Amino acid sequence: MFVCCYHTGAQRTMKYSCILCISHLVIMTWCAAQEGKPPNFVLIVVDDLGIGDLGCYGNTTLRTSNIDQLAKEGVKLTQHIGAAPLCTPSRAAFLTGRYPVRSGMTGHARPGVFIIAGSSGGLPTKELTFAKLAKQQGYSTALIGKWHLGLNCERSDDLCHHPHNHGFDHFYGIPLTHLPDCKPGHGTIFINIFIHIPSRSLMVGVATVAILHVLGVIVVLRKVILAAAFLAALLVAFAGLFLLTFPHFNCLLIRNREVVEQPYVSENLTQKMTQEAVEFLEMNSRQPFLLFFSFIQVHSALFVSPRFKGRSKHGLYGDAVEEVDWSVGKIMETLDHLKLRDNTLVYVTSDNGPHLEVVFKGEMHGGFNGIYKAGKSTNWEGGIRVPAVLRWPGVIPANKQIDEPTSNMDIFPTVVNLVGAAIPEDREIDGRDLMPLVLGQVERSEHEFLFHYCNSYLNAVRWHPANSNSIWKMFFFTPNFYPENSTTCTHTHICFCTKEYVTAHDPPLLFDLSKDPSERSPLSPDNEPLYKEVLSSIREAVHRHTLTLTDVPNQLSLPNLIWNPWLQPCCSSPFQLCQCEKDRM
Ligand SMILES: *[C@@H]1O[C@H](CO)[C@@H](O)[C@H](O)[C@H]1NC(C)=O
Ligand SMILES: *[C@@H]1O[C@H](CO)[C@@H](O)[C@H](O)[C@H]1NC(C)=O
Ligand SMILES: *[C@@H]1O[C@H](CO)[C@@H](O)[C@H](O)[C@H]1NC(C)=O
């Protein structure tokens, strides 16, 4: 196809010389005439959508006709794996084609994602995103929606981690994720995350001293009691102030480099984003473009615009999924109307599994996983197996299902090859070009092994041996669920990966997903003759993989996660609580 043309190198040697420029244009035109144009891209990521929420994946009661239609006109992947079970690391991997440990976008403690806009961590600019490479090839690029990969480094306006520095010409959306704190009346994420921080021993210690003092066994000086009470009051006041002002500091809507609404009102966000996407497509219909449309729905706290409220059979969650589907339909309609359908590659996926712990006033606000176990924040299939459809009429076959393991990291090499850029050779790329598999040129995925990390910790490994249909998955540890026999961590709101919250397995737990996709019955050396062989192959693969890891700064370390007041974006003055509303609609 056109790819050979794009490898002439004309583009890369092109500097400011007009002659080269003209010859480049001639080559481009010749290429286009000879072999068809490189495609445009519309890459759509829904937030926390479950694989069981879509009609094309078996849901019979939610109406997702637009996404289902894409599956009919293209390829549906049934074993598409998010590179991480949480937003920030999964999205870092998606954009760079690399396991998030390679860019330092995985935490060691909790939380494993950014939750404060004025923090200093983020996707390092050394990383190459597919958008950056597409832009270098002349593509017009935009990110509309959620970013969640950092903002500032040293000042409140250096925007070092901003999408502009990662290859997106245009940005309209939110720098973080949509937190409960951004919707009045939905509580705060901090209760869930920090409620377990005052260590039990500290509380037991204070209580013991208090009882002993009351009983007269020991005498605590009045001064000490007063000082402790004063400290505690200060702490409570600080925490209260923090929670009250949190939305003003963290719920920002940004257009390019400007904060346009603070705190934003979520209700019509999907409507506004869709409008923005339609305008972007209209403005760029005559040149190659790449649109990354990153839904803010269906993350909690849920929201929908008035016209979708109460429309679905599944409460507010179902309403939100149906608004997402409507928005996808609008974008597809625009492609049709601009006659871009045939030369646009469309991809729709979710960043990770549904958030099963969110129940609001007795109503389920997380999605559905079909037959898969557990959800977001775990590496059980329910946390990482995400829906994925690809459409490129006339190139990608219609109505085809592919069951081989694929990853959201595969979009990187797929896009980079299609735009005619070179795959970077100075770094490990973990994604694999999807086109040979999707076009039916090969039967097997190139992903013999996939490594499943929980934050920075290697949690499980998937092995699809070249000579067998088995999909082995081996867990080195699993999260401790609460309540005990559920598949959720309701006590902590999400499952954590650190020692206190998991059970280590030695020998590791083994499943064969080809026979047991729901991960019900672990295999052991006693009932699986291949257990030892699988274990040693996986150990060897882990060893080889570990050798490719290098030490990188941890972007989610505590100093990189906490609030730095001097990094706080603020669209009025702090005394007006950074409030503003400059956006239309
Ligand atoms: C469809 O999705 C909803 C919302 O997540 C879920 O409650 C329901 O069980 C699903 N239905 C089917 C038939 O899969
Ligand atoms: C959202 O849009 C509807 C009209 O579609 C409007 O009535 C409503 O006031 C808007 N909400 C906000 C918060 O702007
Ligand atoms: C959980 O399941 C196990 C095995 O079925 C059972 O022995 C145990 O009592 C259950 N625990 C609770 C809290 O229900």
Side-chain angles (χ1 to χ4, degrees), residues 358-401:
V358 222
V359 176
F360 185 71
K361 296 191 174 155
E363 186 180 297
M364 183 60 187
H365 275 196
F368 181 62
N369 257 332
I371 60 167
Y372 301 112
K373 181 168 176 173
K376 172 175 179 171
S377 78
T378 80
N379 279 307
W380 292 105
E381 287 299 276
I384 50 177
R385 198 184 281 228
V386 289
V389 296
L390 288 148
R391 184 192 77 173
W392 183 4
V395 179
I396 290 181
N399 216 354
K400 181 171 166 177
Q401 174 173 320

Short mmCIF file of all heavy atoms in Angstrom, two decimals, residues 358-401:
data_model
loop_
_atom_site.label_atom_id
_atom_site.label_comp_id
_atom_site.label_asym_id
_atom_site.label_seq_id
_atom_site.Cartn_x
_atom_site.Cartn_y
_atom_site.Cartn_z
N VAL A 358 -18.83 0.87 42.83
CA VAL A 358 -19.59 2.11 42.95
C VAL A 358 -21.09 1.85 43.01
O VAL A 358 -21.71 1.46 42.02
CB VAL A 358 -19.38 3.10 41.78
CG1 VAL A 358 -19.26 4.50 42.31
CG2 VAL A 358 -18.22 2.74 40.93
N VAL A 359 -21.62 2.06 44.19
CA VAL A 359 -23.06 1.99 44.38
C VAL A 359 -23.45 3.33 44.96
O VAL A 359 -22.85 3.77 45.94
CB VAL A 359 -23.42 0.84 45.35
CG1 VAL A 359 -24.91 0.83 45.62
CG2 VAL A 359 -22.96 -0.50 44.78
N PHE A 360 -24.40 4.00 44.33
CA PHE A 360 -24.80 5.32 44.81
C PHE A 360 -26.27 5.27 45.21
O PHE A 360 -27.13 4.96 44.37
CB PHE A 360 -24.56 6.37 43.72
CG PHE A 360 -24.84 7.77 44.17
CD1 PHE A 360 -23.99 8.40 45.08
CD2 PHE A 360 -25.94 8.46 43.69
CE1 PHE A 360 -24.25 9.69 45.50
CE2 PHE A 360 -26.20 9.76 44.10
CZ PHE A 360 -25.35 10.37 45.01
N LYS A 361 -26.54 5.56 46.47
CA LYS A 361 -27.92 5.50 46.99
C LYS A 361 -28.60 4.21 46.57
O LYS A 361 -29.72 4.21 46.04
CB LYS A 361 -28.72 6.72 46.52
CG LYS A 361 -28.14 8.01 47.08
CD LYS A 361 -29.06 9.20 46.85
CE LYS A 361 -28.49 10.43 47.55
NZ LYS A 361 -28.93 11.68 46.96
N GLY A 362 -27.88 3.10 46.73
CA GLY A 362 -28.47 1.79 46.45
C GLY A 362 -28.50 1.40 44.99
O GLY A 362 -28.86 0.28 44.65
N GLU A 363 -28.09 2.33 44.10
CA GLU A 363 -28.13 2.00 42.67
C GLU A 363 -26.72 1.67 42.18
O GLU A 363 -25.76 2.36 42.50
CB GLU A 363 -28.69 3.19 41.89
CG GLU A 363 -28.92 2.92 40.42
CD GLU A 363 -29.48 4.13 39.67
OE1 GLU A 363 -30.61 4.56 40.00
OE2 GLU A 363 -28.79 4.65 38.79
N MET A 364 -26.62 0.60 41.37
CA MET A 364 -25.32 0.21 40.81
C MET A 364 -24.85 1.26 39.82
O MET A 364 -25.54 1.56 38.86
CB MET A 364 -25.50 -1.15 40.11
CG MET A 364 -24.23 -1.71 39.55
SD MET A 364 -23.02 -1.98 40.86
CE MET A 364 -21.59 -2.43 39.91
N HIS A 365 -23.67 1.84 40.10
CA HIS A 365 -23.13 2.84 39.18
C HIS A 365 -21.90 2.37 38.44
O HIS A 365 -21.16 3.16 37.85
CB HIS A 365 -22.87 4.16 39.91
CG HIS A 365 -24.08 5.03 39.99
ND1 HIS A 365 -24.04 6.35 40.30
CD2 HIS A 365 -25.39 4.74 39.77
CE1 HIS A 365 -25.27 6.85 40.28
NE2 HIS A 365 -26.10 5.89 39.98
N GLY A 366 -21.62 1.06 38.51
CA GLY A 366 -20.51 0.49 37.74
C GLY A 366 -21.09 -0.40 36.66
O GLY A 366 -22.26 -0.77 36.70
N GLY A 367 -20.25 -0.76 35.70
CA GLY A 367 -20.73 -1.52 34.55
C GLY A 367 -20.78 -3.02 34.77
O GLY A 367 -20.68 -3.51 35.89
N PHE A 368 -20.93 -3.73 33.66
CA PHE A 368 -21.18 -5.17 33.69
C PHE A 368 -20.09 -5.88 32.87
O PHE A 368 -19.69 -5.41 31.81
CB PHE A 368 -22.57 -5.43 33.10
CG PHE A 368 -22.97 -6.87 33.09
CD1 PHE A 368 -23.10 -7.57 34.27
CD2 PHE A 368 -23.22 -7.53 31.88
CE1 PHE A 368 -23.47 -8.91 34.27
CE2 PHE A 368 -23.60 -8.86 31.87
CZ PHE A 368 -23.73 -9.54 33.06
N ASN A 369 -19.65 -7.03 33.42
CA ASN A 369 -18.51 -7.72 32.84
C ASN A 369 -18.83 -8.99 32.10
O ASN A 369 -17.92 -9.72 31.73
CB ASN A 369 -17.56 -8.10 33.97
CG ASN A 369 -16.42 -7.17 33.99
OD1 ASN A 369 -16.08 -6.64 32.94
ND2 ASN A 369 -15.83 -6.96 35.12
N GLY A 370 -20.11 -9.29 31.92
CA GLY A 370 -20.44 -10.56 31.29
C GLY A 370 -19.92 -11.71 32.13
O GLY A 370 -20.11 -11.72 33.35
N ILE A 371 -19.19 -12.62 31.51
CA ILE A 371 -18.76 -13.83 32.22
C ILE A 371 -17.44 -13.60 32.96
O ILE A 371 -16.93 -14.52 33.60
CB ILE A 371 -18.57 -15.01 31.24
CG1 ILE A 371 -17.51 -14.66 30.19
CG2 ILE A 371 -19.89 -15.35 30.55
CD1 ILE A 371 -17.04 -15.86 29.39
N TYR A 372 -16.87 -12.41 32.87
CA TYR A 372 -15.51 -12.24 33.41
C TYR A 372 -15.51 -11.83 34.88
O TYR A 372 -16.39 -11.15 35.36
CB TYR A 372 -14.72 -11.26 32.53
CG TYR A 372 -14.64 -11.76 31.12
CD1 TYR A 372 -15.30 -11.11 30.09
CD2 TYR A 372 -13.96 -12.94 30.84
CE1 TYR A 372 -15.26 -11.61 28.79
CE2 TYR A 372 -13.93 -13.44 29.54
CZ TYR A 372 -14.58 -12.78 28.53
OH TYR A 372 -14.55 -13.28 27.26
N LYS A 373 -14.46 -12.26 35.55
CA LYS A 373 -14.38 -12.13 37.00
C LYS A 373 -13.84 -10.76 37.44
O LYS A 373 -12.88 -10.26 36.88
CB LYS A 373 -13.45 -13.24 37.51
CG LYS A 373 -13.26 -13.29 39.01
CD LYS A 373 -12.56 -14.58 39.36
CE LYS A 373 -12.23 -14.72 40.81
NZ LYS A 373 -11.70 -16.07 41.10
N ALA A 374 -14.45 -10.20 38.49
CA ALA A 374 -14.00 -8.96 39.13
C ALA A 374 -13.98 -7.79 38.16
O ALA A 374 -14.55 -7.86 37.08
CB ALA A 374 -12.67 -9.15 39.83
N GLY A 375 -13.35 -6.69 38.53
CA GLY A 375 -13.43 -5.49 37.70
C GLY A 375 -12.20 -4.61 37.81
O GLY A 375 -11.13 -5.07 38.23
N LYS A 376 -12.38 -3.35 37.44
CA LYS A 376 -11.35 -2.32 37.49
C LYS A 376 -10.46 -2.48 38.73
O LYS A 376 -10.96 -2.80 39.80
CB LYS A 376 -12.05 -0.97 37.53
CG LYS A 376 -11.14 0.22 37.76
CD LYS A 376 -11.91 1.51 37.65
CE LYS A 376 -11.00 2.70 37.92
NZ LYS A 376 -11.64 3.97 37.64
N SER A 377 -9.19 -2.22 38.56
CA SER A 377 -8.17 -2.27 39.61
C SER A 377 -7.69 -3.68 39.91
O SER A 377 -6.82 -3.87 40.75
CB SER A 377 -8.62 -1.59 40.92
OG SER A 377 -9.49 -2.41 41.66
N THR A 378 -8.23 -4.69 39.23
CA THR A 378 -7.70 -6.05 39.39
C THR A 378 -7.25 -6.57 38.03
O THR A 378 -7.71 -6.08 36.99
CB THR A 378 -8.75 -7.04 39.92
OG1 THR A 378 -9.60 -7.46 38.83
CG2 THR A 378 -9.60 -6.44 41.02
N ASN A 379 -6.38 -7.56 38.05
CA ASN A 379 -5.96 -8.19 36.80
C ASN A 379 -6.71 -9.49 36.53
O ASN A 379 -6.32 -10.26 35.68
CB ASN A 379 -4.45 -8.42 36.79
CG ASN A 379 -3.71 -7.16 36.41
OD1 ASN A 379 -4.01 -6.56 35.38
ND2 ASN A 379 -2.78 -6.73 37.24
N TRP A 380 -7.80 -9.72 37.26
CA TRP A 380 -8.74 -10.74 36.80
C TRP A 380 -9.26 -10.25 35.47
O TRP A 380 -9.21 -9.04 35.19
CB TRP A 380 -9.87 -10.93 37.82
CG TRP A 380 -9.43 -11.53 39.13
CD1 TRP A 380 -9.29 -10.88 40.32
CD2 TRP A 380 -9.07 -12.90 39.38
NE1 TRP A 380 -8.86 -11.75 41.29
CE2 TRP A 380 -8.72 -13.01 40.74
CE3 TRP A 380 -9.00 -14.06 38.59
CZ2 TRP A 380 -8.31 -14.21 41.33
CZ3 TRP A 380 -8.60 -15.25 39.18
CH2 TRP A 380 -8.26 -15.32 40.53
N GLU A 381 -9.81 -11.16 34.65
CA GLU A 381 -10.19 -10.75 33.30
C GLU A 381 -11.13 -9.54 33.30
O GLU A 381 -11.08 -8.70 32.41
CB GLU A 381 -10.82 -11.92 32.53
CG GLU A 381 -9.83 -12.99 32.10
CD GLU A 381 -8.75 -12.48 31.15
OE1 GLU A 381 -8.99 -12.42 29.93
OE2 GLU A 381 -7.66 -12.16 31.66
N GLY A 382 -12.00 -9.48 34.32
CA GLY A 382 -12.95 -8.37 34.38
C GLY A 382 -12.30 -7.00 34.51
O GLY A 382 -12.92 -5.98 34.21
N GLY A 383 -11.05 -6.95 34.96
CA GLY A 383 -10.37 -5.67 35.14
C GLY A 383 -9.67 -5.20 33.88
O GLY A 383 -9.41 -4.00 33.72
N ILE A 384 -9.34 -6.16 32.99
CA ILE A 384 -8.48 -5.79 31.85
C ILE A 384 -9.03 -6.19 30.49
O ILE A 384 -8.57 -5.68 29.48
CB ILE A 384 -7.07 -6.40 32.02
CG1 ILE A 384 -7.16 -7.90 32.33
CG2 ILE A 384 -6.30 -5.66 33.10
CD1 ILE A 384 -5.80 -8.58 32.44
N ARG A 385 -9.99 -7.12 30.45
CA ARG A 385 -10.50 -7.52 29.13
C ARG A 385 -11.56 -6.50 28.73
O ARG A 385 -12.61 -6.39 29.35
CB ARG A 385 -11.09 -8.92 29.16
CG ARG A 385 -11.21 -9.49 27.75
CD ARG A 385 -11.87 -10.84 27.74
NE ARG A 385 -11.01 -11.93 28.11
CZ ARG A 385 -10.91 -13.07 27.41
NH1 ARG A 385 -11.60 -13.23 26.29
NH2 ARG A 385 -10.14 -14.05 27.84
N VAL A 386 -11.25 -5.72 27.72
CA VAL A 386 -12.11 -4.59 27.36
C VAL A 386 -12.71 -4.81 25.97
O VAL A 386 -12.15 -5.54 25.15
CB VAL A 386 -11.32 -3.26 27.41
CG1 VAL A 386 -11.02 -2.87 28.84
CG2 VAL A 386 -10.04 -3.33 26.58
N PRO A 387 -13.85 -4.18 25.71
CA PRO A 387 -14.40 -4.27 24.37
C PRO A 387 -13.50 -3.54 23.38
O PRO A 387 -12.83 -2.57 23.77
CB PRO A 387 -15.76 -3.56 24.49
CG PRO A 387 -15.63 -2.67 25.67
CD PRO A 387 -14.65 -3.32 26.59
N ALA A 388 -13.47 -3.97 22.13
CA ALA A 388 -12.70 -3.24 21.12
C ALA A 388 -13.24 -3.58 19.73
O ALA A 388 -13.34 -4.75 19.38
CB ALA A 388 -11.22 -3.58 21.19
N VAL A 389 -13.61 -2.55 18.99
CA VAL A 389 -14.00 -2.75 17.59
C VAL A 389 -13.18 -1.81 16.72
O VAL A 389 -12.77 -0.73 17.14
CB VAL A 389 -15.51 -2.49 17.37
CG1 VAL A 389 -16.35 -3.50 18.13
CG2 VAL A 389 -15.91 -1.09 17.76
N LEU A 390 -12.91 -2.28 15.50
CA LEU A 390 -12.12 -1.51 14.53
C LEU A 390 -12.87 -1.50 13.21
O LEU A 390 -13.35 -2.55 12.77
CB LEU A 390 -10.78 -2.20 14.28
CG LEU A 390 -9.73 -2.14 15.38
CD1 LEU A 390 -8.91 -3.41 15.36
CD2 LEU A 390 -8.83 -0.94 15.18
N ARG A 391 -12.98 -0.33 12.61
CA ARG A 391 -13.65 -0.26 11.31
C ARG A 391 -12.84 0.58 10.33
O ARG A 391 -12.38 1.68 10.69
CB ARG A 391 -15.04 0.36 11.45
CG ARG A 391 -15.79 0.35 10.12
CD ARG A 391 -17.02 1.21 10.15
NE ARG A 391 -16.68 2.62 10.05
CZ ARG A 391 -17.59 3.60 9.92
NH1 ARG A 391 -18.87 3.32 9.91
NH2 ARG A 391 -17.21 4.87 9.84
N TRP A 392 -12.65 0.04 9.13
CA TRP A 392 -12.05 0.79 8.04
C TRP A 392 -12.62 0.17 6.77
O TRP A 392 -12.06 -0.80 6.25
CB TRP A 392 -10.52 0.68 8.10
CG TRP A 392 -9.78 1.47 7.07
CD1 TRP A 392 -10.30 2.34 6.15
CD2 TRP A 392 -8.36 1.44 6.86
NE1 TRP A 392 -9.30 2.86 5.39
CE2 TRP A 392 -8.09 2.33 5.79
CE3 TRP A 392 -7.30 0.78 7.44
CZ2 TRP A 392 -6.80 2.55 5.31
CZ3 TRP A 392 -6.01 0.99 6.98
CH2 TRP A 392 -5.76 1.88 5.92
N PRO A 393 -13.74 0.70 6.32
CA PRO A 393 -14.48 0.03 5.25
C PRO A 393 -13.61 -0.18 4.02
O PRO A 393 -12.84 0.69 3.63
CB PRO A 393 -15.62 1.01 4.94
CG PRO A 393 -15.76 1.86 6.16
CD PRO A 393 -14.38 1.96 6.73
N GLY A 394 -13.74 -1.34 3.41
CA GLY A 394 -12.98 -1.64 2.20
C GLY A 394 -11.59 -2.15 2.49
O GLY A 394 -10.94 -2.71 1.62
N VAL A 395 -11.10 -1.96 3.68
CA VAL A 395 -9.76 -2.45 4.02
C VAL A 395 -9.88 -3.54 5.09
O VAL A 395 -9.48 -4.69 4.88
CB VAL A 395 -8.85 -1.30 4.51
CG1 VAL A 395 -7.47 -1.83 4.88
CG2 VAL A 395 -8.74 -0.21 3.46
N ILE A 396 -10.48 -3.19 6.21
CA ILE A 396 -10.69 -4.17 7.27
C ILE A 396 -11.98 -4.95 6.97
O ILE A 396 -12.99 -4.34 6.63
CB ILE A 396 -10.80 -3.44 8.64
CG1 ILE A 396 -9.44 -2.88 9.04
CG2 ILE A 396 -11.31 -4.38 9.72
CD1 ILE A 396 -9.45 -2.16 10.37
N PRO A 397 -11.94 -6.28 7.05
CA PRO A 397 -13.14 -7.04 6.73
C PRO A 397 -14.29 -6.70 7.67
O PRO A 397 -14.08 -6.28 8.80
CB PRO A 397 -12.71 -8.50 6.92
CG PRO A 397 -11.42 -8.46 7.66
CD PRO A 397 -10.81 -7.12 7.45
N ALA A 398 -15.50 -6.87 7.17
CA ALA A 398 -16.69 -6.58 7.97
C ALA A 398 -17.12 -7.82 8.74
O ALA A 398 -16.85 -8.94 8.34
CB ALA A 398 -17.81 -6.11 7.05
N ASN A 399 -17.78 -7.56 9.86
CA ASN A 399 -18.44 -8.62 10.62
C ASN A 399 -17.52 -9.78 10.99
O ASN A 399 -17.89 -10.94 10.88
CB ASN A 399 -19.62 -9.15 9.79
CG ASN A 399 -20.76 -9.50 10.72
OD1 ASN A 399 -20.62 -9.45 11.95
ND2 ASN A 399 -21.89 -9.85 10.15
N LYS A 400 -16.32 -9.46 11.41
CA LYS A 400 -15.36 -10.50 11.74
C LYS A 400 -15.04 -10.44 13.23
O LYS A 400 -14.95 -9.34 13.79
CB LYS A 400 -14.10 -10.28 10.90
CG LYS A 400 -13.02 -11.32 11.13
CD LYS A 400 -11.90 -11.15 10.12
CE LYS A 400 -10.69 -11.96 10.55
NZ LYS A 400 -9.61 -11.88 9.57
N GLN A 401 -14.86 -11.60 13.82
CA GLN A 401 -14.50 -11.65 15.24
C GLN A 401 -13.11 -12.26 15.37
O GLN A 401 -12.82 -13.27 14.74
CB GLN A 401 -15.53 -12.49 15.99
CG GLN A 401 -15.17 -12.72 17.44
CD GLN A 401 -16.30 -13.40 18.20
OE1 GLN A 401 -17.47 -13.09 18.01
NE2 GLN A 401 -15.94 -14.34 19.06
#
